[in-house]
Structure formats: C-alpha cells, structure tokens
Amino acid sequence: QVQLVEAGGGSVQAGGSLRLSCAASGVIFSTNFMAWYRQAPGKERDLVAIVRRDGSTNYAESVKGRFTISRDNDKNTVNLQMNSLKPEETGVYYCAAEIRDISLLTRVYWGQGTQVTVSS
C-alpha cells in the first residue's frame, strides 16, 4: 500500500518562509509527477506546483518566483520551498503523486494534508 506523508506545515507571518516535504512509501515501481495542491477554507483544491520525473516544473502564476518545488527520484520525495508568504496562501497543502504501484496500475495518491497559516 502506497502512502504519502507530508511534514513542515505551520504558522508564519506574512513575508516569512516555510518548507514542506512529502515522502512516498510502499511498493513503488515508478513515480511520474509529484505535486503540491492548496485548499483554502471554503474553496476548491488548486494546483500550486508540479514537478515531473524529468525535472520539468510548472507553477501557479501567483507563486512564480517565490515557491520552488524539487524532488528526489531515488527517495520518492518532493519538497516545496515557500518564500514571501501571503495571508491569502493560508490553507491545507496536499502532496500528490502519480505512482505505478504493486498492482502495476498507475494512479494518483494523496497525502493527508498539512496546514499552513500565514498571518498578516
């Protein structure tokens, strides 16, 4: 059974930084994309950043230049460095990964989420 476990959330003042990490465990044959999503209170879950196996990345327009996503293919981990945080970026951050597991099928797995609170 594959699990994604996030860490690194917390509370920070506007302009501060946080680093989120996510580790995938279990029987994993391959991992395609790894990504971070954010769900603000009362809103839908939105993509923040994604990194593909080849290292290519995409970011939400609002975080470009401030957030950096990185991954370690050997360890099946993904990190999100968040700088110059804004209050509107408060929410639950979810790690997601497209993984080929022991069933040899590919599916998207989700972490349990980690709370990020940015105060003004």
Side-chain angles (χ1 to χ4, degrees):
Q1 188 76 312
V2 173
Q3 286 188 318
L4 300 184
V5 178
E6 300 120 332
S11 297
V12 66
Q13 290 192 327
S17 297
L18 284 174
R19 183 177 177 86
L20 305 182
S21 61
C22 172
S25 63
V27 180
I28 297 171
F29 286 97
S30 64
T31 303
N32 299 327
F33 73 78
M34 301 188 82
W36 288 95
Y37 286 74
R38 175 175 63 230
Q39 188 163 22
K43 296 190 176 180
E44 294 184 352
R45 192 174 299 186
D46 294 323
L47 177 67
V48 175
I50 186 170
V51 57
R52 301 169 188 84
R53 187 166 182 83
D54 64 2
S56 61
T57 59
N58 285 98
Y59 295 89
E61 195 65 33
S62 62
V63 308
K64 285 182 180 178
R66 298 185 296 116
F67 289 15
T68 302
I69 190 170
S70 60
R71 66 183 283 176
D72 184 322
N73 288 336
D74 292 334
K75 296 180 180 178
N76 287 312
T77 58
V78 61
N79 298 310
L80 184 68
Q81 177 66 41
M82 305 185 293
N83 299 327
S84 302
L85 282 159
K86 303 176 181 180
E88 56 265 36
E89 291 169 334
T90 292
V92 179
Y93 283 69
Y94 294 91
C95 172
E98 186 178 58
I99 291 173
R100 191 179 188 199
D101 58 25
I102 195 170
S103 70
L104 300 183
L105 297 176
T106 299
R107 56 166 286 193
V108 177
Y109 285 88
W110 292 86
Q112 80 284 358
T114 185
Q115 176 70 42
V116 170
T117 302
V118 185
S119 58
S120 58

